[in-house]
Amino acid sequence: MKNVGPMKPFRMELGKMDGPKAVAVFGIVVFGLLGVASSLFHAFNHDEFEAIHSAWKILSGERIYVDFLQTHHFLPYYVLAPVIALFGPGIPAVIVARLLSLAATVGIVLLTYRIARSLFDRETALFSVFFLTTSVTFLTKVIEVRPDIPLVLFELISVSLLLSHFRTPSAAKLVGSSAALFAAFLFLQKAVFAAFLIGLLLLYRLWKRKTAWRDILFYAGTFVILLLGFVAYVSSAFGWREYFFSNWQLNTLLLNSFPIYKYLLRSIEQNPLLWILFLFGSVHAVRNRKPDIALFFAAGLLATVFVTRTPFPQYYLAAMPWIAMVAAAALVRSRRLNRRFVAVMLLASLPVAGYFFFDLWEDNRGQLDKVSYVLSVTGPDDLVYDGDAQFNLFRRDVDYFWFSVKPKTGILSSYRLVRPYDYDIYGLIDEKRPKVVSSSFVKVKNPSIAEHYSKSSVFPDLYVRKEE
């Protein structure tokens, strides 16, 4: 691997820029601007509202896993809570949360460039960024408020520091790499997959006598020390039993499953050039029996998607930077044959990706208007029934199960497979008298709703309690 000096991404003399590079820079700029616009104006996924509301609940004094349902690690919500405290419970806090994800996305892109440059060269690094930023799966998910974003960021930081250690050994880099990997784990449990791959890489280098036992023990020791602190905190804050059940056991029982290839085929349709080049790059590396760290992480992280019960598009995010690197390396080899043809291929891929990107576009104004409306008709002490994390961001809920209560496939149904739980939404409405009730997963003609609530004149799926 080449020694890499200070990173100067995307700087080059325009006079020396050939066709493929010019198209790459053009694509990066255009889709980068689309990413910024999406961050501000694209519709919110209900997972984002789940994350923001979880942070607000923690800020309000509720204990995650104990007082309300959550199946992810706690750090994302601890990070978002100060944002809400600073900007207040309202739309500005929601937008700032999105901007935090955008900032993390910039970090992911820069780290992709840095790692690709260290493993290959500057050209490959540029094309890696092109393939990453023009990936519809990546661009539409990476700007969202979800734990997968900091997970990917800290995984890349971890690997970048480790690769730097391989070039110029340093105990500080080993500690930093291990600590970054642990931070990724605090954001999301899926970091165990990257940890497994890093462990395999270190063992392989040990076998090849490129890494000493001392380094492995130092790396693992740092992680174990941090993990012991984590165990101590979890035991005192939530209780180990509740933590393990909510974050691990419950996730193995999810009932909302679908074919593992669903979103992979969609991504191939959206970005065929990326996946074709990834395939060629993979075959080339295997046929030449040449160790390829980018392919190792790309294949390993991609494979982990298919061991999950619900491989949603965001599950591909961890693998996407590495897939982009493998594709870019294949492109650099091909462009030596015919630069004009390569430039045409890159240029032709842009409208295809753009078409699918805009096909998925939805504006977020209606969602934000609904959030504001609920805030306007409720007070700080009022309760709200949402049921699907669609609008209630800053008001109390009627039950521990405040989202994913869909019959048969919701987390509530999974929970009941191993623990009895009495959930009667109409009884809860009668008892707790929430100010606003959503039509999600309830029958609005039930007397508990029909006799005490009026349909909102602004949002017909919301019902506001009558003055009594």
Side-chain angles (χ1 to χ4, degrees), residues 58-346:
I58 289 171
L59 185 65
S60 301
E62 297 185 44
R63 287 188 301 164
I64 191 172
Y65 318 130
V66 178
D67 298 324
F68 67 94
L69 173 70
Q70 187 49 254
T71 60
H72 297 125
H73 272 180
F74 49 84
L75 187 56
Y77 318 114
Y78 284 12
V79 170
L80 287 173
V83 172
I84 300 172
L86 180 62
F87 290 91
I91 302 305
V94 178
I95 300 301
V96 172
R98 269 278 181 93
L99 293 176
L100 284 178
S101 289
L102 181 64
T105 299
V106 173
I108 291 170
V109 171
L110 293 176
L111 283 162
T112 298
Y113 181 91
R114 181 180 181 85
I115 293 172
R117 186 178 169 188
S118 71
L119 293 176
F120 301 100
D121 51 44
R122 183 176 293 182
E123 279 187 311
T124 306
L126 175 65
F127 292 124
S128 296
V129 172
F130 169 83
F131 284 123
L132 184 64
T133 54
T134 59
S135 165
V136 178
T137 296
F138 177 82
L139 192 60
T140 54
K141 288 298 171 184
V142 81
I143 53 89
E144 295 179 344
V145 183
R146 55 174 68 252
D148 305 78
I149 315 309
L151 167 81
V152 177
L153 176 65
F154 280 94
E155 284 181 350
L156 290 175
I157 291 173
S158 178
V159 176
S160 179
L161 287 171
L162 187 61
L163 294 178
S164 181
H165 168 76
F166 291 162
R167 295 189 297 271
T168 54
S170 163
K173 293 174 183 176
L174 278 177
V175 171
S177 176
S178 185
L181 181 61
F182 181 75
F185 174 74
L186 289 183
F187 278 107
L188 197 59
Q189 302 95 299
K190 286 183 287 190
V192 296
F193 297 137
F196 175 73
L197 294 175
I198 288 174
L200 287 181
L201 176 61
L202 288 171
L203 290 175
Y204 172 78
R205 287 179 60 86
L206 178 68
W207 177 54
K208 290 291 187 177
R209 298 182 179 179
K210 294 181 178 180
T211 293
W213 269 111
R214 180 186 65 255
D215 289 351
I216 294 179
L217 293 175
F218 206 74
Y219 196 97
T222 300
F223 196 90
V224 169
I225 290 171
L226 293 171
L227 190 61
L228 290 175
F230 168 81
V231 171
Y233 174 76
V234 165
S235 299
S236 63
F238 328 115
W240 183 257
R241 183 172 180 269
E242 287 305 315
Y243 158 79
F244 183 80
F245 177 77
S246 297
N247 287 274
W248 300 94
Q249 185 178 356
L250 194 54
N251 282 312
T252 66
L253 302 171
L254 298 181
L255 301 171
N256 183 27
S257 59
F258 48 83
I260 60 175
Y261 52 81
K262 177 180 178 180
Y263 290 106
L264 176 62
L265 292 181
R266 185 172 297 179
S267 181
I268 292 172
E269 180 184 24
Q270 294 165 343
N271 297 98
L273 181 60
L274 166 67
W275 289 99
I276 290 171
L277 287 171
F278 172 67
L279 178 61
F280 283 149
S282 302
V283 171
H284 178 269
V286 172
R287 288 183 62 181
N288 285 272
R289 299 182 180 181
K290 183 179 179 181
D292 188 326
I293 290 177
L295 177 59
F296 171 72
F297 280 105
L301 292 171
L302 184 60
T304 63
V305 174
F306 305 115
V307 302
T308 62
R309 295 177 64 87
T310 53
F312 289 107
Q314 60 267 24
Y315 286 33
Y316 290 84
L317 290 179
M320 290 308 299
W322 303 100
I323 291 171
M325 291 181 215
V326 175
L331 179 74
V332 169
R333 284 192 298 272
S334 67
R335 71 184 291 271
R336 292 168 185 156
L337 301 176
N338 191 320
R339 295 184 180 184
R340 182 175 297 178
F341 176 69
V342 170
V344 170
M345 283 198 307
L346 293 176

Side-chain angles (χ1 to χ4, degrees), residues 374-388:
V374 171
L375 288 174
S376 71
V377 299
T378 59
D381 296 326
D382 287 326
L383 278 67
V384 170
Y385 167 75
D386 185 336
D388 196 29

